[in-house]
């Protein structure tokens, strides 16, 4: 019996296991809500969801909420043929880990650091929705910095085109940020 003796062997095994269970045509959207770390804006989240759906015509998306999601959020979410909505009240205990394990791409609102990190550790490509950060919140600033690094990673391609770039998935967020804030960096 061969033992895994090197970090490369372990990384290869983890990559193979993660890729076999993931479906690149499935996406998951995790919507939180009001928190002390970010200024919640349902309109901004709805606009970003609409943009993601428009830019990913070959993907089937599942959206779920949390107990902090504003009550009127789902009523304001327009129906879309490639979007299945599963309110958090309709999810059994193992539902979220199973969805994270199967989804190729996950979008998360930034209000829950634990949800952002759970998505990241699941191994999917992760996008973090853009919301104004509370400048007094250390957690909010840290999640915002992480989200910015994720954007740079997925939008930048090195000279040999070796990045894991998925055109279209993260472009909607750039459009949103430019339209709302004036520039990608939020400066007028």
């Amino acid at each position: 019996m061969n033992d895994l003796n090197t970090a490369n062997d372990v990384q290869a095994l983890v990559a193979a296991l993660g890729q076999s269970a993931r479906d690149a045509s499935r996406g998951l959207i995790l919507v939180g809500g009001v928190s002390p770390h970010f200024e919640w804006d349902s309109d901004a989240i709805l606009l970003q969801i609409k943009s993601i759906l428009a830019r990913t015509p070959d993907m089937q998306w599942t959206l779920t909420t949390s107990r902090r999601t504003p009550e009127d959020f789902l009523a304001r979410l327009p129906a879309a043929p490639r979007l299945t909505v599963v309110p958090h009240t309709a999810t059994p205990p193992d539902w979220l880990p199973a969805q994270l394990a199967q989804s190729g791409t996950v979008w998360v609102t930034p209000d829950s650091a634990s949800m952002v990190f759970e998505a990241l550790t699941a191994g999917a490509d992760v996008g973090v929705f853009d919301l104004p950060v509370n400048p007094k919140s250390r957690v909010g600033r840290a999640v915002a910095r992480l989200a910015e690094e994720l954007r740079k990673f997925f939008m930048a391609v090195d000279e040999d085109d070796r990045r894991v770039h998925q055109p279209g998935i993260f472009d909607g967020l750039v459009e949103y940020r430019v339209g709302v804030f004036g520039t990608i960096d939020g400066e007028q």
Side-chain angles (χ1 to χ4, degrees), residues 2 5 12 17 19-20 33 43 54 81 100-101 103 108-109 112-113 119 121 145 148 150 157 165 175-176 181:
N2 290 337
N5 350 4
L17 290 173
Q19 289 175 351
S20 65
D43 290 333
L100 287 168
S103 300
V108 189
T109 57
S112 171
T121 58
R145 279 193 305 273
E148 189 60 34
L150 286 169
V157 179
H165 181 73
E175 177 183 279
Y176 165 78
F181 298 114

Side-chain angles (χ1 to χ4, degrees), residues 72-99:
D72 68 336
F73 184 83
L74 289 181
R76 297 180 58 206
L77 182 67
R82 294 175 296 101
L83 178 64
T84 302
V85 176
V86 182
H88 76 283
T89 55
T91 61
D94 292 338
W95 184 86
L96 183 58
Q99 295 297 312

Side-chain angles (χ1 to χ4, degrees), residues 22-75:
R22 291 206 187 286
D23 183 347
S25 68
R26 285 184 65 176
L28 181 62
I29 298 173
L30 305 175
V31 178
V34 177
S35 85
H37 308 299
F38 289 85
E39 182 182 324
W40 182 259
D41 184 344
S42 290
D43 290 333
I45 298 299
L46 291 166
L47 178 64
Q48 291 172 76
I49 290 170
K50 184 178 177 181
S51 183
I52 290 165
L53 293 173
R55 287 172 167 26
T56 56
D58 297 329
M59 289 187 74
Q60 177 64 42
W61 291 91
T62 300
L63 180 147
T64 193
T65 57
S66 81
R67 66 184 186 284
R68 292 181 295 101
T69 305
E71 288 185 27
D72 68 336
F73 184 83
L74 289 181

